[in-house]
Amino acid sequence: MSQSQKNGLQNQHDTELARDITLKVRDLVIEFGSGKKKVKAVKGVTFDVYRGETFGLVGESGSGKTTIGRAVMGIQPVNKGAVYFNERLIYGEAPDLHKINLKLLRHLQTMVKNQSTTTNCLNDYLNEFKRVFYKYTQSKYYDFKTRELRAYPDGQSRLIAEGTNLKDTKLIRSKKDANLTIVTEAIRDNLKHLLKIIRLENKALKFSTAISNFTTVSLTLETEINESQKKVLGLIQQVKDLENEIYIIVDLMNDIRQQVLSGKHKSVIQYFEVMGRHLEQVIANHKSISPLLETALEEQIVALYLVAPIKQKQPFANEIKQRLTRAKHFKETENLENKRYEKVLETGKEDFVSQIKATETFKDPTKEETRELKKKMQMIFQDPGSSLNDRMAIEGIIAEGLDNFPELYKNPETCQTYLDWYNDNHNAEHQLTLDKVQPKDVKHFLILQLLTTIGMLPEHLSRYPHEFSGGQRQRIGIARALVMRPSFIVADEPISALDVSIRAQVMNLLAKFQKEFDLTYIFIAHDLSIVKFVANRIAVIYRGDIVELAEANELFDNPLHPYTKSLLSAIPLPDPKLEKAKIPFKYQPEIEHQDYLIDFPEWVEVGPNHYVYGNQREVKKYRQILASKIRKDQHEKVS
């Protein structure tokens, strides 16, 4: 199945479950610093959180999990990507096909320039290869400029006799000898650009294939946009395959050179024969890349014309018209490509950008909507000590949200609830009526009720944070979040700073409130053993990338990504003997993913609702592991 088909299925899945999704995070990027010191803390993270679930986000310190939680809450600015809450954009910006395609155009133009640079590098290497070949096989001097062979003026022979260990010759050591360093670096640079292009193209396709789910864009325009994006991606995939082959061959050539230096070659003819054959294949592949890049660049202009704002379409339209004019001038009859260009010019007159901006889902939230979000979304912070104001009494800390949103307690329903409680606890002589209910009493009642619910006493309201234990301070933090009656809570390592006995109490409280108030949680932690018991699904994050996502039991039963395995192996065992004998799994990304440069990683579903970040080699291995596990389980059931 192609990547575009997978993206389409994912979009369809998103649409079907849209009514159950509380939070969507799409291509989230968080950066710190600037210039050369810029650091990507979060690298294009995408996930959904379903209503009523606990979504676990697990990783070691510095992995970016807290940064994601803060970005979801609007505390941390979003550099790229978007966060949606209840199908509305709340932070970041919606996908902009025009900007994405402009980036693609710039990358393609850079690739075309790099192609010329690589051609020069290969020509230099080829000339040097010829010089060395003629020198040591025919004892002739090869002139680069005239391309002529002539004898050396000193009359001495430079021939290397067959059977001579090439290590003892100047074949490789000579300062003027050709080396592949420049060529290798040029190919490596091309592959890095290709990775960026493919990721951008996949991002564009993921959005363009789902346009009809959000807007009333005409089917003709949607079809043309998708066709153009897919055509560019297809051409770039062909370029990638050729560049991969070049990279592998050049790597082999470097290996041969290392073998010569280690004394493993004794035939100069065989050396030049093998190296020449490899070089010939490299040059042939390189020549095949140029027309593919030119065609991709032409098609990218078409894509830009289709998705550009009305005022910015004209330059792209002019280029398409010039191309059409040239084609008609040199061909007597119009071909299918010319007819397509004419159709594109007509279809592209539709204002695509305005229709996207008018879509309810992608509109920037108003001030009133942003204010409402603060009631619906709350956060429990990691450190209960530093997140509470030591100069405020507990009642003031919990009441702060109510003071900012008085409608939470100054409403008929809440007042009636207070009135019922008051009259139930007082005799007939002291009964109240609704018109005599004071807002400050209602507010105090809400705080008192919540304080009792979290297992604290009324006299605690007048005390200050430093007078409480860590567990009690964390309960106060929970009360401060719950008093707003939110539907969504980010719990940022709410138990990491607590004793083991207190952890169980806080986790039980969170589970209790989830049932009572129908809450949805993002539960952030670095300990997988704890998250297993509270989360419905778990996402494992490593250095800003989510590397694996699955249901909690599935992740523990069938961990696939090596980083997930390393986290699981770090969980201490209760038996001291077993713990002492245990051999932890060491995650070494430079070894595990050494082929990422030529086999790009993607986010792939390898099993039902089990997603892993890996390249084709890894995904194939992961699927084999799962298939083997299923066969083993079936065999055990039968026996």
Side-chain angles (χ1 to χ4, degrees):
M1 184 182 291
S2 67
Q3 183 62 30
S4 59
Q5 288 173 318
K6 291 172 187 172
N7 290 336
L9 289 175
Q10 180 62 38
N11 292 331
Q12 181 182 355
H13 179 69
D14 285 357
T15 306
E16 291 171 354
L17 295 177
R19 64 184 184 278
D20 297 322
I21 295 175
T22 292
L23 185 84
K24 286 183 180 180
V25 176
R26 292 291 180 269
D27 303 308
L28 185 69
V29 174
I30 307 293
E31 298 172 338
F32 295 104
S34 59
K36 292 182 179 180
K37 295 184 178 180
K38 184 183 290 186
V39 176
K40 273 191 179 182
V42 180
K43 306 170 184 176
V45 164
T46 295
F47 62 86
D48 295 331
V49 180
Y50 298 104
R51 187 166 290 113
E53 82 164 335
T54 299
F55 183 83
L57 197 55
V58 183
E60 61 191 12
S61 297
S63 61
K65 54 189 185 298
T66 295
T67 305
I68 292 173
R70 292 167 67 87
V72 165
M73 293 301 301
I75 300 171
Q76 175 65 47
V78 174
N79 294 92
K80 295 175 187 175
V83 180
Y84 302 87
F85 184 72
N86 290 335
E87 297 301 316
R88 283 297 308 273
L89 177 69
I90 57 172
Y91 303 115
E93 58 180 17
D96 189 330
L97 279 183
H98 178 232
K99 288 183 179 179
I100 293 172
N101 278 284
L102 279 175
K103 286 181 182 178
L104 281 166
L105 180 65
R106 287 194 290 271
H107 280 301
L108 284 170
Q109 288 170 338
T110 303
M111 279 289 296
V112 171
K113 290 178 183 177
N114 282 1
Q115 186 72 357
S116 299
T117 304
T118 308
T119 300
N120 292 334
C121 291
L122 281 172
N123 283 336
D124 290 343
Y125 178 75
L126 179 60
N127 285 330
E128 192 65 24
F129 183 85
K130 288 179 180 179
R131 185 191 69 79
V132 175
F133 171 78
Y134 289 120
K135 179 179 180 180
Y136 292 118
T137 62
Q138 298 181 24
S139 192
K140 298 286 186 181
Y141 177 77
Y142 176 73
D143 191 317
F144 294 159
K145 294 181 180 179
T146 63
R147 297 184 182 182
E148 294 178 347
L149 291 174
R150 60 175 181 265
Y152 284 97
D154 59 8
Q156 292 185 5
S157 174
R158 270 78 171 173
L159 290 174
I160 296 176
E162 278 294 296
T164 304
N165 193 326
L166 300 184
K167 179 183 177 182
D168 302 325
T169 69
K170 294 183 179 181
L171 182 65
I172 298 296
R173 295 180 193 174
S174 175
K175 291 181 180 179
K176 293 183 178 180
D177 185 35
N179 66 74
L180 296 178
T181 304
I182 299 174
V183 176
T184 304
E185 288 303 315
I187 301 301
R188 190 184 293 271
D189 190 48
N190 286 346
L191 284 169
K192 289 177 180 177
H193 274 288
L194 283 168
L195 175 59
K196 292 177 182 178
I197 291 171
I198 289 173
R199 283 181 172 172
L200 281 171
E201 198 61 69
N202 281 331
K203 183 179 178 180
L205 266 171
K206 190 173 182 179
F207 182 68
S208 67
T209 51
I211 289 172
S212 57
N213 297 333
F214 310 111
T215 69
T216 55
V217 170
S218 69
L219 180 61
T220 305
L221 178 58
E222 181 182 358
T223 303
E224 288 294 342
I225 292 172
N226 288 329
E227 183 181 337
S228 185
Q229 300 283 179
K230 288 175 183 176
K231 191 171 180 180
V232 174
L233 180 60
L235 290 164
I236 291 303
Q237 289 286 6
Q238 291 180 55
V239 173
K240 172 182 169 290
D241 291 341
L242 290 167
E243 290 282 14
N244 283 352
E245 193 173 337
I246 291 174
Y247 185 82
I248 292 168
I249 294 172
V250 170
D251 201 37
L252 287 173
M253 294 171 76
N254 277 315
D255 286 343
I256 292 170
R257 293 169 62 81
Q258 290 302 316
Q259 289 170 13
V260 170
L261 291 173
S262 60
K264 295 180 180 179
H265 271 276
K266 294 185 178 181
S267 172
V268 67
I269 294 175
Q270 186 181 10
Y271 168 80
F272 280 115
E273 184 180 324
V274 174
M275 290 291 280
R277 190 165 59 248
H278 286 329
L279 182 58
E280 186 179 8
Q281 186 61 51
V282 167
I283 293 171
N285 280 15
H286 179 71
K287 287 181 178 178
S288 301
I289 289 173
S290 294
L292 291 172
L293 284 176
E294 292 294 340
T295 306
L297 198 56
E298 290 178 359
E299 191 60 38
Q300 190 58 41
I301 297 297
V302 174
L304 269 166
Y305 170 69
L306 291 168
V307 300
I310 289 293
K311 292 182 179 179
Q312 298 179 37
K313 283 181 181 288
Q314 197 56 47
F316 307 120
N318 291 341
E319 192 160 339
I320 295 171
K321 287 175 182 176
Q322 288 173 9
R323 198 182 307 162
L324 192 58
T325 302
R326 287 195 300 270
K328 288 181 178 180
H329 178 72
F330 290 107
K331 294 179 182 179
E332 295 181 0
T333 57
E334 293 181 356
N335 58 23
L336 291 175
E337 192 67 15
N338 292 345
K339 289 180 179 179
R340 177 176 173 252
Y341 286 151
E342 290 173 350
K343 183 181 178 182
V344 163
L345 287 169
E346 187 62 33
T347 305
K349 293 178 181 178
E350 189 175 339
D351 193 352
F352 172 77
V353 175
S354 296
Q355 292 186 64
I356 295 294
K357 287 183 177 179
T359 304
E360 198 68 23
T361 302
F362 303 127
K363 283 183 178 177
D364 290 330
T366 62
K367 288 185 178 180
E368 183 59 32
E369 287 171 337
T370 303
R371 183 178 180 276
E372 285 296 311
L373 279 174
K374 293 178 181 178
K375 289 193 292 184
K376 295 175 182 177
M377 303 175 73
Q378 285 292 304
M379 187 168 186
I380 301 169
F381 293 92
Q382 181 175 353
D383 185 356
S386 61
S387 63
L388 301 177
N389 190 339
D390 282 332
R391 297 177 180 273
M392 292 179 69
I394 300 309
E395 183 170 11
I397 290 172
I398 299 175
E400 196 170 9
L402 296 176
D403 293 336
N404 290 321
F405 297 90
E407 64 270 20
L408 288 170
Y409 65 93
K410 290 182 179 179
N411 61 76
E413 292 80 8
T414 308
C415 290
Q416 185 62 50
T417 302
Y418 166 73
L419 182 65
D420 294 340
W421 170 83
Y422 184 90
N423 289 338
D424 287 343
N425 289 276
H426 292 81
N427 56 36
E429 296 177 0
H430 297 90
Q431 297 289 295
L432 282 180
T433 56
L434 193 60
D435 59 311
K436 293 182 179 181
V437 172
Q438 297 296 316
K440 64 177 182 178
D441 295 330
V442 178
K443 182 172 69 173
H444 181 77
F445 160 73
L446 289 176
I447 296 169
L448 191 61
Q449 289 290 98
L450 192 55
L451 200 71
T452 307
T453 305
I454 63 172
M456 299 184 74
L457 303 174
E459 54 263 32
H460 290 156
L461 286 175
S462 59
R463 296 185 186 177
Y464 290 82
H466 69 273
E467 300 179 68
F468 297 95
S469 67
Q472 288 175 315
R473 285 200 292 263
Q474 192 61 287
R475 288 169 183 242
I476 294 165
I478 293 171
R480 178 177 60 181
L482 290 175
V483 76
M484 304 296 290
R485 288 291 185 267
S487 60
F488 178 84
I489 291 179
V490 174
D492 181 15
E493 301 206 37
I495 58 173
S496 62
L498 307 179
D499 294 334
V500 175
S501 58
I502 304 300
R503 288 182 178 187
Q505 296 176 23
V506 173
M507 287 173 66
N508 288 336
L509 271 178
L510 293 173
K512 173 187 174 185
F513 293 139
Q514 185 173 34
K515 290 180 180 179
E516 287 184 7
F517 305 124
D518 191 27
L519 294 173
T520 302
Y521 289 131
I522 287 184
F523 193 94
I524 298 170
H526 59 264
D527 190 343
L528 266 172
S529 61
I530 291 174
V531 180
K532 179 184 179 182
F533 296 102
V534 297
N536 302 100
R537 292 184 302 140
I538 300 174
V540 180
I541 184 168
Y542 176 73
R543 292 186 179 180
D545 279 316
I546 292 181
V547 296
E548 188 163 4
L549 191 157
E551 293 179 2
N553 290 333
E554 170 67 14
L555 192 77
F556 273 75
D557 293 341
N558 300 306
L560 297 175
H561 197 277
Y563 179 64
T564 308
K565 292 178 180 178
S566 71
L567 286 181
L568 288 172
S569 72
I571 299 173
L573 299 173
D575 188 328
K577 292 182 180 179
L578 292 176
E579 176 63 24
K580 188 176 181 179
K582 182 180 72 176
I583 301 174
F585 183 89
K586 187 177 180 181
Y587 177 48
Q588 298 175 294
E590 65 281 355
I591 296 174
E592 297 283 353
H593 316 305
Q594 45 83 23
D595 57 347
Y596 271 14
L597 187 62
I598 58 173
D599 188 2
F600 301 155
E602 294 178 334
W603 190 240
V604 180
E605 186 176 15
V606 294
N609 299 316
H610 193 155
Y611 298 86
V612 182
Y613 186 67
N615 60 19
Q616 292 180 8
R617 172 186 60 81
E618 292 173 327
V619 168
K620 182 180 179 181
K621 181 179 74 173
Y622 297 151
R623 284 177 172 154
Q624 287 173 347
I625 291 171
L626 287 178
S628 177
K629 181 72 165 39
I630 291 170
R631 286 194 298 270
K632 184 179 177 182
D633 291 342
Q634 290 173 343
H635 179 71
E636 288 176 355
K637 286 180 181 179
V638 172
S639 45

